[in-house]
Amino acid sequence: MSIVVSIIFLNVLAMSLDVGTGKTTMDPCLESMKTASLPDLPYAYDALEPAISEEIMLLHHQKHHQTYVTNYNKALNHLRSALADGDHSSVVKLQSQIKFNGGGHVNHAIFWKNLAPVHEGGGKPPHDPLSSAIDAHFGSLEELMQKMNAEGAAVQGSGWVWFGLDKELKRLVVETTANQDPLVTKGSHLVPLIGIDVWEHAYYPQYKNARAEYLKNIWTVINWKYASDIFEKHSRNLNEF
């Protein structure tokens, strides 16, 4: 999914202007890009209770994520039309819509995989080599969780807190992003392992304004197996790991 966002960010202005005709040609990647679709959840809507209620999961997935998908597809269609018409002003204006809604889709597609019911391994600590890497960079899993909780609670307004792999620095990192910015917007060398949504729609119906309580409880359904698999895939060729 992060590849899709990278393509959009790099090619949203990918037009070649024929000096002689003044016409704009569309980038082939954008022209052939398929529309996004709402992914099915890999578990039932009530499977994450009591950490996350069925009500929240229904609203979050069917309403909020679906809205990002719908608006992202609309923005892509408008972008194709603007490129075909040589409407440079609209192309520039559409960037923010694509970034916000495309980011919302990418982030939530990761978020659903980051969660798992307790009976399917949710909350079970990661295995090596991720476990040892966490100890080396943060001291312990508990210290990593405390750091993410603190960073997530400190996000002003809406955003995300991320646990990721920095392939350039060859280390594990904790980052935050505003609004629906994916982790890749901070650098293509950053690979998201765990992303936690700290928008109010992710917790308010159940936790009201107690974001810290939500952050504390979500660890009971975090899918560390998914994070471990992604870490192993991307760290395989990094000597330090």
Side-chain angles (χ1 to χ4, degrees):
M1 282 298 180
S2 61
I3 295 174
V4 173
V5 171
S6 296
I7 291 172
I8 288 295
F9 288 173
L10 292 173
N11 293 302
V12 69
L13 291 175
M15 306 172 295
S16 58
L17 186 63
D18 188 314
V19 177
T21 65
K23 292 181 179 179
T24 304
T25 58
M26 196 183 309
D27 185 275
C29 291
L30 181 59
E31 192 170 14
S32 62
M33 184 177 291
K34 295 180 180 179
T35 56
S37 59
L38 183 70
D40 293 331
L41 289 184
Y43 36 75
Y45 286 108
D46 64 352
L48 303 180
E49 291 187 337
I52 305 177
S53 71
E54 180 180 10
E55 177 190 11
I56 285 179
M57 291 301 296
L58 280 164
L59 288 170
H60 203 169
H61 181 251
Q62 293 186 1
K63 301 297 183 182
H64 292 282
H65 191 171
Q66 180 63 68
T67 297
Y68 295 129
V69 169
T70 299
N71 291 337
Y72 175 59
N73 288 333
K74 285 181 180 178
L76 281 182
N77 287 332
H78 290 157
L79 178 60
R80 292 186 183 101
S81 297
L83 286 168
D85 295 341
D87 184 352
H88 301 282
S89 178
S90 291
V91 169
V92 172
K93 188 165 60 177
L94 284 163
Q95 288 185 82
S96 60
Q97 294 178 37
I98 290 172
K99 181 180 180 183
F100 180 78
N101 291 292
H105 172 48
V106 169
N107 289 348
H108 284 86
I110 294 171
F111 185 56
W112 308 134
K113 295 176 184 177
N114 282 164
L115 305 173
V118 173
H119 67 272
E120 294 180 10
K124 185 177 180 180
H127 55 71
D128 278 335
L130 179 57
S131 177
S132 295
I134 289 172
D135 289 346
H137 292 140
F138 297 99
S140 67
L141 178 61
E142 183 62 31
E143 288 180 82
L144 166 62
M145 291 161 57
Q146 289 176 2
K147 181 174 178 59
M148 286 192 69
N149 288 353
E151 298 261 352
V155 170
Q156 295 185 353
S158 302
W160 291 73
V161 58
W162 300 93
F163 169 53
L165 169 64
D166 187 325
K167 294 195 294 183
E168 193 173 88
L169 296 178
K170 300 179 180 179
R171 62 169 292 112
L172 297 172
V173 295
V174 171
E175 297 278 355
T176 61
T177 56
N179 301 314
Q180 290 296 350
D181 290 0
L183 185 58
V184 71
T185 60
K186 287 200 163 185
S188 59
H189 56 283
L190 294 172
V191 178
L193 304 178
I194 296 289
I196 299 179
D197 190 349
V198 293
W199 278 66
E200 284 193 344
H201 66 233
Y203 62 88
Y204 197 86
Q206 181 177 358
Y207 292 94
K208 303 304 183 239
N209 64 340
R211 182 191 286 181
E213 190 68 15
Y214 156 73
L215 287 167
K216 174 185 175 183
N217 290 340
I218 200 171
W219 294 106
T220 63
V221 290
I222 287 294
N223 186 357
W224 283 107
K225 182 182 183 304
Y226 172 83
S228 295
D229 290 346
I230 299 299
F231 175 76
E232 289 183 45
K233 176 183 176 181
H234 288 277
S235 65
R236 200 167 290 139
N237 297 321
L238 301 180
N239 294 332
E240 279 75 358
F241 290 108

